[in-house]
């Protein structure tokens, strides 16, 4: 079994890999933000058809759940792998605590599940990117596996409960892709 510090040391020995991890970490994060902004723009566009309910649920469910996850992880303030094992992570990060759950992973999975209301294809693409981001965050030494799994699981739970309720009451509006 390989430890976080050994894994980080092996990755840091390869400058190209360190660069790739950092670029992919940032790129996936920014791509997710762009997709989410695009979804909100689409929601604004279809207000005459949806009456604004799609916009409300696409804003409220991710927004409130993000705030709650942020508060929860601040209260728990679980140490990060680089704190627990005293090493410099491959990903650029110097935050103390607030490791559990991963907010990056929670966010991308929440955006993916939010997209499932309008586009299954885009939702699946974002889930794949979410898995990639989870691996990058663990391999990069900034999260434990439990952190990223918890982030994804919390997003799944919130989305399942909230969107099931919202969609059951207000109906679905699906894009043809």
């Amino acid at each position: 079994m390989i430890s976080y510090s050994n894994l980080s040391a092996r990755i840091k020995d390869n400058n190209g890999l360190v660069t790739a991890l950092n670029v992919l970490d940032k790129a996936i994060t920014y791509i997710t933000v762009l997709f989410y902004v695009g979804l909100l723009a689409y929601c604004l566009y279809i207000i005459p058809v949806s009456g604004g309910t799609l916009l409300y649920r696409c804003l409220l469910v991710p927004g409130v759940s993000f705030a709650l996850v942020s508060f929860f992880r601040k209260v728990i303030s679980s140490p990060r792998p680089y704190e627990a094992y005293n090493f410099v992570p491959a990903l650029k990060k110097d935050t103390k605590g607030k490791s559990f759950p991963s907010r990056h992973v929670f966010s991308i999975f929440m955006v993916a599940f939010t997209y499932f209301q309008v586009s299954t294809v885009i939702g699946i693409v974002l889930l794949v990117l979410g898995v990639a981001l989870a691996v990058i965050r663990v391999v990069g030494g900034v999260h434990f596996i439990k952190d990223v799994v918890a982030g994804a699981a919390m997003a799944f739970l919130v989305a399942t409960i909230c969107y099931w309720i919202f969609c059951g009451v207000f109906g679905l509006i699906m894009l043809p892709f």
Side-chain angles (χ1 to χ4, degrees), residues 116-140:
F116 274 109
Q117 297 177 92
V118 296
S119 174
T120 303
V121 172
I122 295 174
I124 290 170
V125 167
L126 287 169
L127 287 178
V128 170
L129 288 174
V131 170
L133 184 64
V135 170
I136 289 167
R137 305 292 290 175
V138 170
V139 170

Side-chain angles (χ1 to χ4, degrees), residues 3 6 8 21 23 26 34-35 39 45 47 52 54 57 61 64 66 93 100 125 137 141 149 151 163-164:
S3 71
N6 287 343
S8 184
L21 284 175
V23 167
K26 293 292 182 208
L34 289 174
F35 268 102
L39 176 61
Y45 174 74
I47 281 178
L54 182 62
R57 65 183 182 236
V61 174
V64 170
F66 180 83
K93 192 82 171 166
F100 180 85
V125 167
R137 305 292 290 175
V149 170
Y163 294 137
W164 177 74

Side-chain angles (χ1 to χ4, degrees), residues 144-162:
F144 291 105
I145 293 171
K146 69 179 173 74
D147 301 337
V148 297
V149 170
M154 287 176 158
F156 176 77
L157 186 63
V158 167
T160 300
I161 292 168
C162 292

Side-chain angles (χ1 to χ4, degrees), residues 72-166:
F72 175 76
R73 68 189 236 139
K74 185 175 182 175
V75 169
I76 299 296
S77 197
S78 180
R80 294 177 177 274
Y82 59 82
E83 291 177 276
Y85 301 117
N86 198 28
F87 66 91
V88 176
L91 292 178
K92 294 177 181 124
K93 192 82 171 166
D94 61 0
T95 304
K96 301 293 183 207
K98 297 182 271 184
S99 182
F100 180 85
S102 168
R103 200 167 49 188
H104 275 81
V105 173
F106 171 82
S107 297
I108 192 169
F109 275 82
M110 195 70 234
V111 171
F113 294 134
T114 301
Y115 249 103
F116 274 109
Q117 297 177 92
V118 296
S119 174
T120 303
V121 172
I122 295 174
I124 290 170
V125 167
L126 287 169
L127 287 178
V128 170
L129 288 174
V131 170
L133 184 64
V135 170
I136 289 167
R137 305 292 290 175
V138 170
V139 170
V142 297
H143 281 293
F144 291 105
I145 293 171
K146 69 179 173 74
D147 301 337
V148 297
V149 170
M154 287 176 158
F156 176 77
L157 186 63
V158 167
T160 300
I161 292 168
C162 292
Y163 294 137
W164 177 74
I165 291 169
F166 275 124

